[in-house]
């Protein structure tokens, strides 16, 4: 996909915070102007956002490739791909080994064409009609247009899409109990399906194309009709799309590196719920009140029933600690951990406080964007792409706080006898905090004076060097933290069995 497609797709993706997107979009565009592909190491794997138009363009490339290789029509090539999981390499291999076997397996028969009689009898209804009112698939059976229309629309409207390849066949009976094995291709769908059923079929092709590609998944934001394409050489499951939506490639939940999906799911099940509006995980209130507020979208709801908070209060008479829907009282709902309440409380406080710090850092990104475009580009450096180091620093702070948050979860699930790992983890957390504080101070405090300068400042170059170096040092330490914890802090001598 070319750069224009990437830029176009930026404007069509639904995200959690439009402010975050606007802050980062200029940074991405600057990189694209330089002809660069945004690829990072461990800290951020950037995945490409694909709109439906982009996905269809990729589909057409594969269809044309198979069509050229097999000498099939594009409709037949589409049929072949949809039956064989859109695997172009596998199709090439199978076709080279035995084209006829492949054709028969997907219902692409190779029979003699029908005679050119002036009048045909429909193989489905038996009625006679002029030549122009008939159509055939690869089997050559003559079916009238009325029967084709009825047959195709009935299957698409009534059968599950997973069974369409099984049922979209020629309707002629070739035996007492058998139907003709010839498949119905996209050309027949386009000609005879209604507008609604045609849309369903095209969406089916789109969906199966995405779901059968190892490097592609649907975007995790609810309501989005975009896909995410990740480079196959990516070494980390935690990725970002170009609109700053950070998520785990494996489970499609919020990014939770350095802990694995199972650990993150266990923690969130006990301590967070998805917002009913935007699906973002919201931590439980520390006072055990059932009132939840999603900061990204400002929706207020009940922890248990997920109803709007006003609606919830109407059912409980104003009680914030009871939910009638689940009949759960505050003393029942407050159970989180039976092992060590103090240890759990400390862990949860650290986790939730870093979540809030991360959200504040994310909210600061639009301010950095304003500083770049409205202040610094007019005085210090005219080329906006040369100012991207500022947003790099802001993004690095966000990522460090995200990882720092999850290190406390990792620590909570360490065994009590793993003292060496606990001590090393605490030391690692403190050092990462120091890196973040230094970077944050340089970014927020040292940047401000330049925003008010009316002329280029001789000190800006030194600031640029200092902030870039701090960002690089912080990133290196951040990457080492992620790597060490994902390896189970292997440098520590075993504390126990």
């Amino acid at each position: 996909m070319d750069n224009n497609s990437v830029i176009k797709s930026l404007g069509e993706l639904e995200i959690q915070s439009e402010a975050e997107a606007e802050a980062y979009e200029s940074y991405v565009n600057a990189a694209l102007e330089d002809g660069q592909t945004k690829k990072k190491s461990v800290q951020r794997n950037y995945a490409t956002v694909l709109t439906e138009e982009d996905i269809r363009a990729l589909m057409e490339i594969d269809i044309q490739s198979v069509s050229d290789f097999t000498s099939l029509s594009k409709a037949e090539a589409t049929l072949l791909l949809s039956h064989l999981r859109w695997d172009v390499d596998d199709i090439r291999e199978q076709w080279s080994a035995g084209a006829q076997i492949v054709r028969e397996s997907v219902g692409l028969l190779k029979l003699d064409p029908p005679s050119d009689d002036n009048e045909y009898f429909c193989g489905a209804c038996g009625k006679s009609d002029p030549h122009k009112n008939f159509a055939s698939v690869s089997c050559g059976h003559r079916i009238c247009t009325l029967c084709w229309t009825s047959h195709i629309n009935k299957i698409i409207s009534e059968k599950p899409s997973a069974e369409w390849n099984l049922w979209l066949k020629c309707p002629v009976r070739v035996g007492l109990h058998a139907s003709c094995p010839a498949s119905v291709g996209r050309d027949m769908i386009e000609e005879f399906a209604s507008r609604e059923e045609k849309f369903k079929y095209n969406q089916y092709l789109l969906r199966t194309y995405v779901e059968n590609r190892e490097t592609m998944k649907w975007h995790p934001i609810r309501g989005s009709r975009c896909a995410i394409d990740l480079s196959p050489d990516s070494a980390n499951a935690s990725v970002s799309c170009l609109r700053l939506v950070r998520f785990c490639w494996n489970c499609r939940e919020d990014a939770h590196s350095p802990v694995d999906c199972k650990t993150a799911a266990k923690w969130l099940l006990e301590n967070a719920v998805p917002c009913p509006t935007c699906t973002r995980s919201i931590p439980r209130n520390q006072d055990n009140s059932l009132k939840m507020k999603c900061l990204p979208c400002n929706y207020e709801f009940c922890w248990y029933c997920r109803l709007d908070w006003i609606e919830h209060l109407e059912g409980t008479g104003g009680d914030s600690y009871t939910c009638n829907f689940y009949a759960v009282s505050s003393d029942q709902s407050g159970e989180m951990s039976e092992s060590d309440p103090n240890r759990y409380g400390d862990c949860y406080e650290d986790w939730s406080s870093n979540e809030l710090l991360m959200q504040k850092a994310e909210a600061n990104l639009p301010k950095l964007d304003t500083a770049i475009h409205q202040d610094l580009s007019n005085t210090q450096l005219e080329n906006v792409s040369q100012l991207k180091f500022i947003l790099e620093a802001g993004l690095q702070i966000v990522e460090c706080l995200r990882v720092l948050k999850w290190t406390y979860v990792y620590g909570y699930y360490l065994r009590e006898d793993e003292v060496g790992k606990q001590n090393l983890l605490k030391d690692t957390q403190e050092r990462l905090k120091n890196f973040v504080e230094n970077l944050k101070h340089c970014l927020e405090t040292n940047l401000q004076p330049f925003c008010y300068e009316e002329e280029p400042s001789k000190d800006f170059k030194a600031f640029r060097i200092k902030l870039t170096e701090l960002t690089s040092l912080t990133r290196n330490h951040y990457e080492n933290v992620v790597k060490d914890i994902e390896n189970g802090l292997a440098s520590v001598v075993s504390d126990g069995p």
Side-chain angles (χ1 to χ4, degrees):
M1 189 175 63
D2 61 20
N3 290 349
N4 290 332
S5 297
V6 175
I7 294 173
K8 170 176 62 60
S9 67
L10 291 174
E12 297 181 14
L13 176 62
E14 293 184 29
I15 60 170
Q16 295 171 353
S17 170
E18 190 63 30
E20 295 175 9
E22 292 173 354
Y24 191 58
E25 185 169 345
S26 62
Y27 170 58
V28 173
N29 287 343
L32 291 176
E33 288 170 4
D34 293 337
Q36 302 171 350
T37 300
K38 291 306 299 175
K39 281 184 177 289
K40 294 292 179 183
S41 51
V42 175
Q43 86 279 9
R44 280 194 297 275
N45 294 307
Y46 280 98
T48 304
V49 179
L50 302 176
T51 65
E52 286 193 12
E53 183 180 346
D54 299 326
I55 300 169
R56 293 192 194 283
L58 293 174
M59 283 176 54
E60 290 302 321
I61 292 174
D62 286 350
I63 291 169
Q64 187 65 58
S65 174
V66 170
S67 176
D68 293 342
F69 177 77
T70 59
S71 298
L72 295 172
S73 68
K74 292 181 69 173
E76 291 172 323
T78 303
L79 194 60
L80 194 60
L81 283 160
S82 67
H83 275 74
L84 299 178
R85 304 178 64 84
W86 295 91
D87 192 331
V88 175
D89 292 336
D90 184 52
I91 289 173
R92 287 176 179 270
E93 184 177 332
Q94 290 192 45
W95 190 268
S96 299
Q100 187 59 33
I101 295 175
V102 176
R103 291 183 67 107
E104 292 176 357
S105 69
V106 301
L108 287 174
L109 308 184
K110 201 171 184 179
L111 303 177
D112 295 331
S115 60
D116 292 330
D117 298 337
N118 292 328
E119 192 171 5
Y120 291 160
F121 288 92
C122 177
C125 68
K127 294 181 179 180
S128 173
D129 259 320
H131 174 279
K132 64 179 181 179
N133 293 335
F134 284 84
S136 302
V137 288
S138 61
C139 59
H141 290 131
R142 303 159 179 158
I143 308 297
C144 70
T145 55
L146 290 177
C147 285
W148 272 127
T149 300
S150 174
H151 178 65
I152 290 174
N153 286 309
K154 181 179 177 64
I155 288 174
I156 295 178
S157 64
E158 295 182 1
K159 299 292 184 182
S161 60
E163 299 179 7
W164 286 352
N165 280 338
L166 178 65
W167 290 99
L168 281 172
K169 305 287 185 180
C170 170
V172 171
R173 309 291 292 186
V174 295
L176 186 60
H177 300 292
S179 298
C180 176
S183 294
V184 175
R186 187 165 63 165
D187 53 341
M188 299 292 284
I189 305 297
E190 291 294 328
E191 185 173 355
F192 296 111
S194 66
R195 181 177 180 179
E196 180 181 355
E197 312 314 330
K198 193 182 301 182
F199 175 79
K200 289 180 183 178
Y201 185 79
N202 286 329
Q203 290 298 114
Y204 158 76
L205 292 179
L206 198 74
R207 187 180 70 254
T208 55
Y209 179 81
V210 171
E211 293 173 357
N212 280 295
R213 297 180 70 88
E214 292 184 358
T215 63
M216 194 178 294
K217 289 185 179 181
W218 290 110
H219 200 284
I221 297 300
R222 185 174 63 181
S224 172
R225 297 172 68 179
C226 296
I228 298 294
D229 192 20
L230 181 67
S231 170
D233 61 357
S234 175
N236 195 290
S238 187
V239 299
S240 290
C241 73
L242 290 180
R243 299 270 347 228
L244 201 58
V245 178
R246 185 88 166 135
F247 64 98
C248 172
W249 181 256
N250 294 329
C251 66
R252 297 208 301 170
E253 297 293 341
D254 288 348
H256 49 71
S257 180
V259 303
D260 58 29
C261 297
K262 183 178 180 180
T263 302
K266 182 179 180 181
W267 176 262
L268 290 175
L269 183 64
E270 296 176 352
N271 303 286
V273 292
C275 171
T277 301
C278 71
T279 74
R280 184 161 184 168
S281 295
I282 311 300
R284 177 77 184 269
N285 294 324
Q286 289 180 281
D287 63 358
N288 280 339
S289 167
L290 299 182
K291 182 179 181 180
M292 307 294 296
K293 182 174 182 178
C294 177
L295 294 181
C297 69
N298 291 318
Y299 182 68
E300 295 183 343
F301 61 98
C302 170
W303 164 274
Y304 279 103
C305 66
R306 311 292 195 269
L307 292 176
D308 177 88
W309 185 246
I310 300 300
E311 186 176 351
H312 164 84
L313 289 179
E314 291 176 352
T316 63
D319 189 344
S320 299
Y321 295 87
T322 302
C323 178
N324 291 341
F325 187 79
Y326 274 88
V328 178
S329 62
S330 58
D331 59 340
Q332 292 172 312
S333 63
E335 296 177 359
M336 289 292 183
S337 174
E338 297 293 339
S339 57
D340 188 343
N342 293 330
R343 181 165 170 246
Y344 168 80
D346 292 341
C347 174
Y348 182 77
E349 182 177 355
D350 289 329
W351 184 79
S352 59
S353 63
N354 278 280
E355 166 71 16
L356 292 174
L357 288 173
M358 186 190 74
Q359 291 178 9
K360 290 179 180 178
E362 287 178 333
N364 189 51
L365 293 175
K367 298 177 182 178
L368 297 179
D369 183 61
T370 299
I372 290 173
H373 283 84
Q374 296 184 12
D375 301 321
L376 301 177
S377 63
N378 294 325
T379 56
Q380 306 304 327
L381 290 170
E382 293 184 2
N383 191 338
V384 173
S385 64
Q386 292 180 306
L387 295 166
K388 65 183 182 182
F389 72 95
I390 296 173
L391 275 175
E392 275 286 350
L395 287 166
Q396 190 60 58
I397 291 172
V398 172
E399 289 308 305
C400 286
L401 291 170
R402 189 192 308 276
V403 163
L404 192 58
K405 175 182 72 171
W406 286 104
T407 62
Y408 292 103
V409 175
Y410 177 83
Y412 177 68
Y413 288 113
L414 285 175
R415 298 195 315 269
E416 292 186 4
D417 61 346
E418 293 180 297
V419 179
K421 289 186 177 182
Q422 292 176 13
N423 291 336
L424 177 59
L425 180 63
K426 289 178 181 178
D427 181 61
T428 298
Q429 290 167 335
E430 288 303 315
R431 282 187 284 123
L432 184 56
K433 284 182 186 178
N434 290 335
F435 273 104
V436 172
E437 285 300 319
N438 290 335
L439 182 59
K440 187 171 181 287
H441 179 270
C442 182
L443 177 64
E444 295 181 356
T445 304
N446 297 353
L447 175 65
Q448 284 300 316
F450 299 110
C451 295
Y452 301 105
E453 295 282 354
E454 296 181 357
E455 299 291 336
S457 172
K458 62 180 181 179
D459 297 325
F460 188 76
K461 182 178 180 181
F463 164 74
R464 182 182 183 184
I465 293 173
K466 180 180 179 181
L467 185 62
T468 301
E469 289 180 347
L470 277 175
T471 302
S472 179
L473 288 171
T474 304
R475 179 183 299 125
N476 290 337
H477 183 69
Y478 157 89
E479 291 178 356
N480 290 332
V481 170
V482 172
K483 187 184 301 182
D484 289 344
I485 294 179
E486 287 182 344
N487 290 334
L489 297 178
S491 61
V492 177
V493 178
S494 177
D495 293 304

